[in-house]
Amino acid sequence: MTEAVIPAPVRLFDLIVGAWVSQAITTAAELDGRRFALTELGELLREDHPGSLRGWALLHGRAFHREVWAGLTDSVRLGGSTYDAVTGRTLFDHFAEHPEDAAVLNDAMTSMSRTIVLPLAEAYDYGPFDTIPADGDAYVLCNVVHDWGDDEAVRILANCKVAMNDRRRVLLGEFVLSEGPGGNDPMQIWADLAMLVMTSGGKQRTRAELAELVHRAGMRLSRIIPAANGFSVVEGVPA
């Protein structure tokens, strides 16, 4: 008796549901009769899910994002951006030439904002800003300065400082890394590696490094408030 050949798509589904090989990817579950349904995790890949991470998943599958990780070893050993070394240009140069990839990144950032912004909003007391003038009392930058080297990040913060009076402040939504080894969770470590791979000088920073940026921009770091998702609100006020 000849063994029945299982079609390739079904074998792929077996990998996805963890039935044979992979125990890590569980976005779908097998029902009776070789039918499949999304798991609770898999539901997050739907575009219409209120907590959708579809854009984030698509970003990591795009060639411009995926292929440059092969150069991570050289960046760790020698320093410098993996993306720049592998492609000969910066990531933002690539986006200027490939707007379709820029659109994927934008969708990914929108996806992540659903998981980042609410915990940050809950962690920080925005009560003093109930009445906000047209020019704003607070300048909120979520996952912005980590994209840039120190000089560029200082320039961004200094531009905010120009518009501030003594009552205003800059609020940064960022991972704040531990000063010593062993104090960061895997997501924070991965995010720091992602900055090394994808940006020209960007990185996740420690409290001391963030304080230095804020100081160079003419402000002082007044406090850091941890949020529920590993991010923190970093508050800078006029010096």
Side-chain angles (χ1 to χ4, degrees):
M1 179 177 177
T2 303
E3 181 180 357
V5 177
I6 300 176
V10 176
R11 289 195 180 275
L12 179 60
F13 262 115
D14 280 325
L15 291 176
I16 293 174
V17 303
W20 289 349
V21 179
S22 174
Q23 297 299 316
I25 306 174
T26 54
T27 57
E30 182 180 354
L31 308 177
D32 59 311
R34 303 301 283 175
R35 296 182 301 117
F36 300 89
L38 291 175
T39 63
E40 183 177 352
L41 178 63
E43 288 287 338
L44 295 176
L45 299 178
R46 292 173 54 121
E47 190 172 14
D48 60 352
H49 191 283
S52 175
L53 293 176
R54 177 178 179 272
W56 190 247
L58 290 176
L59 170 66
H60 287 78
R62 298 289 285 196
F64 80 89
H65 190 281
R66 182 184 67 250
E67 294 173 355
V68 296
W69 281 87
L72 174 60
T73 301
D74 288 339
S75 285
V76 172
R77 291 175 56 246
L78 305 174
S81 166
T82 303
Y83 196 93
D84 294 7
V86 170
T87 67
R89 57 185 173 180
T90 71
L91 181 61
F92 292 105
D93 289 337
H94 174 84
F95 288 148
E97 297 174 16
H98 298 276
E100 70 281 4
D101 283 339
V104 170
L105 177 70
N106 184 63
D107 288 344
M109 295 302 100
T110 300
S111 292
M112 286 304 294
S113 69
R114 299 186 183 100
T115 65
I116 295 173
V117 173
L118 181 58
L120 291 178
E122 292 174 342
Y124 189 83
D125 180 11
Y126 290 87
F129 312 125
D130 288 339
T131 301
I132 300 177
D135 54 353
D137 279 336
Y139 298 83
V140 181
L141 306 177
C142 186
N143 271 349
V144 173
V145 299
H146 77 169
D147 284 336
W148 302 96
D150 289 348
D151 291 343
E152 293 85 358
V154 168
R155 191 175 304 119
I156 292 169
L157 295 174
N159 285 338
C160 295
K161 171 66 169 56
V162 169
M164 293 170 58
N165 61 29
D166 291 341
R167 292 180 57 250
R168 295 175 184 162
R169 60 208 65 202
V170 171
L171 306 176
L172 308 178
E174 296 279 344
F175 281 137
V176 180
L177 299 184
S178 170
E179 298 287 350
N184 301 304
D185 67 37
M187 186 61 180
Q188 293 172 325
I189 296 170
W190 175 87
D192 197 28
L193 284 176
M195 294 302 99
L196 174 64
V197 170
M198 302 302 297
T199 70
S200 302
K203 59 181 178 179
Q204 305 298 147
R205 293 176 169 90
T206 64
R207 179 188 182 98
E209 289 171 329
L210 288 165
E212 177 64 16
L213 293 184
V214 172
H215 172 74
R216 287 178 56 191
M219 297 178 283
R220 64 178 177 85
L221 194 159
S222 60
R223 54 179 173 160
I224 294 179
I225 306 168
N229 57 358
F231 282 81
S232 295
V233 180
V234 179
E235 183 182 64
V237 297

